[in-house]
Amino acid sequence: MRDRLINDLLDWYDANARVMPWRVSPADRKAGVKPDPYRVWMSEIMLQQTTVAAVRDYFNRFTARWPTVADLAAADDADVMAEWAGLGYYARARNLLKCARFVVDECGGAFPDTHAGLLKLPGVGPYTAGAVSSIAYNLPEVVVDGNVERVMSRLYDEHTPLPAAKPVLTEYARALTPIDRPGDYAQAVMDLGATICTPRNPACGICPWRDPCAARAAGTAPELPKKTPKKPKPERLGFAYVARREDGAWLLETRPDKGLLGGMLGWPGSDWSDAPKTNPPLDTDWQTLNATARHTFTHFHLTLTVLIARVPKDAAPSAGSFVPAADFSPSSLPTVMRKVYDLAADPLRHIDPDQS
DNA sequence: AAGACGTGGCT
DNA sequence: TAGCCAAGTCT
């Protein structure tokens, strides 16, 4: 029974594996090609809570700019954060650098090749340690992500809501993890979850596991996995100040490492709350824009009032510092800050960086 | 151990 | 459109 399940899935994977920049195809793997642990690790960090479509370009840019873990370890923090801008969950980028430096400084420049060793790395939890173990080193470690949870909950018609069901689903997944081809198997379950056993409208008719699937038999597949309901997001307000100096420089600040958007570049501003306090970084004549910047984070909605000003060469800000126009790109901003830029840039566009 | 932590795409 | 969802980790 177990072997039949595994073989049916691997056969399906051999014929239907998705092609990705970080992946070794089942055919190449069979021919002896070994994945680069650095690239596997990088892809798994980027893929945490993030879609393949969103990751692809970031992965290509990161690995082109920093081809090895030693290259990444030697990078400037600000360059890495700027390159990560827009991908979200910025603690991942801070941990990415920490991890690269740890591997270079404490592991002789090679990624640990055991599950326990990987688990010690910053930003690497049970999922990523399992994924790197199996995909990069072909170790039979269990890999449980959102796809696997969904697939297992349906295969065994498990109705206990997540996250309470996580331990049971992990045991189901562990029992199916093969000694042979664990890396291909892990990627096969995730591909199945991403393309066939999807959250809505699962394509049960073409699923390699349609016969053994308990939820398919019970007709409950579309409603699984059950999840405990989420809390509503509160509304918060804030102010953002965009100052441009007469030589074209922008007033920006690097946010503290801890907390929301930690380590990222942004516009000086107020706290984000029910009743934010105005605290302009410069004493000047601020102009309030008509439009506001709306953004939704994981746990709250935000409406930002944007204020702009053109300031003289000798302006002395109480927060942030002026960045020359030539050194600034809006693509280095997290998305909420880029929305502010998009609103402010037009009215401020007439400043000529060359006239100084 | 429950909440913090981003973003874009899809329905 | 408002909400759900995506290869989770940290505290």
Side-chain angles (χ1 to χ4, degrees):
Chain A
M1 187 69 236
R2 188 186 98 104
D3 288 348
R4 175 65 183 280
L5 233 33
I6 293 166
N7 288 332
D8 284 351
L9 182 65
L10 286 172
D11 287 348
W12 173 83
Y13 181 69
D14 286 340
N16 297 282
R18 291 180 293 169
V19 176
M20 299 171 194
W22 50 85
R23 182 180 275 186
V24 171
S25 73
D28 284 350
R29 195 190 273 277
K30 212 160 284 181
V33 177
K34 301 267 189 278
D36 177 355
Y38 170 67
R39 293 167 64 87
V40 174
W41 162 76
M42 172 92 63
S43 69
E44 292 302 341
I45 300 297
M46 288 184 169
L47 286 162
Q48 290 168 8
Q49 299 290 286
T50 309
T51 57
V52 169
V55 164
R56 194 172 257 114
D57 289 348
Y58 283 87
F59 177 85
N60 288 332
R61 282 196 295 268
F62 266 74
T63 52
R65 185 167 179 178
W66 300 294
T68 71
V69 68
D71 296 321
L72 182 59
D76 286 341
D77 293 47
D79 289 340
V80 172
M81 300 313 287
E83 202 69 78
W84 195 278
L87 197 54
Y89 284 137
Y90 298 99
R92 293 184 296 170
R94 286 178 268 130
N95 284 330
L96 192 80
L97 250 180
K98 263 189 216 163
C99 182
R101 289 169 181 163
F102 182 85
V103 167
V104 167
D105 295 340
E106 311 291 336
C107 309
F111 276 86
D113 59 1
T114 65
H115 186 272
L118 289 162
L119 209 42
K120 289 188 170 65
L121 302 175
V124 174
Y127 163 75
T128 305
V132 175
S133 295
S134 62
I135 296 170
Y137 299 117
N138 237 21
L139 298 170
E141 300 289 348
V142 69
V143 177
V144 184
D145 72 332
N147 288 305
V148 177
E149 289 174 349
R150 185 170 58 258
V151 171
M152 291 301 139
S153 72
R154 289 172 177 172
L155 185 59
Y156 295 103
D157 199 30
E158 175 59 62
H159 286 238
T160 307
L162 286 165
K166 177 106 182 177
V168 205
L169 298 176
T170 299
E171 284 319 302
Y172 289 147
R174 190 190 311 283
L176 281 176
T177 303
I179 301 293
D180 188 39
R181 301 183 66 188
D184 281 344
Y185 173 81
Q187 292 171 100
V189 187
M190 294 191 282
D191 274 17
L192 186 73
T195 64
I196 304 278
C197 195
T198 50
R200 284 168 301 239
N201 304 315
C204 300
I206 56 170
C207 180
W209 282 353
R210 83 184 154 279
D211 290 340
C213 183
R216 153 90 164 155
T220 52
E223 65 192 64
L224 294 176
K226 303 279 192 191
K227 298 197 175 179
T228 54
K230 291 170 184 169
K231 291 177 179 173
K233 298 182 202 289
E235 292 284 348
R236 294 191 193 170
L237 304 171
F239 297 96
Y241 300 91
V242 181
R244 195 165 193 201
R245 214 165 51 183
E246 62 190 18
D247 65 350
W250 300 89
L251 181 59
L252 290 153
E253 68 178 3
T254 300
R255 301 170 61 87
D257 269 353
K258 298 273 182 197
L260 195 63
L261 309 181
M264 297 303 290
L265 211 51
W267 308 107
S270 67
D271 60 311
W272 297 342
S273 61
D274 281 344
K277 284 186 281 235
T278 61
N279 58 339
L282 276 171
D283 187 12
T284 188
D285 185 19
W286 292 97
Q287 176 189 345
T288 304
L289 297 186
N290 292 328
T292 55
R294 269 292 279 181
H295 192 73
T296 297
F297 292 100
T298 312
H299 50 297
F300 64 93
H301 301 286
L302 178 65
T303 301
L304 245 27
T305 298
V306 179
L307 298 94
I308 65 172
R310 301 164 192 242
V311 301
K313 183 75 175 169
D314 62 354
S318 60
S321 55
F322 284 98
V323 177
D327 298 343
F328 169 67
S329 164
S331 69
S332 66
L333 297 173
T335 299
V336 64
M337 298 297 176
R338 195 187 38 71
K339 288 181 180 176
V340 171
Y341 170 83
D342 288 343
L343 291 174
D346 195 51
L348 289 173
R349 76 188 180 284
H350 292 301
I351 294 176
D352 178 3
D354 298 324
Q355 77 184 29
S356 75

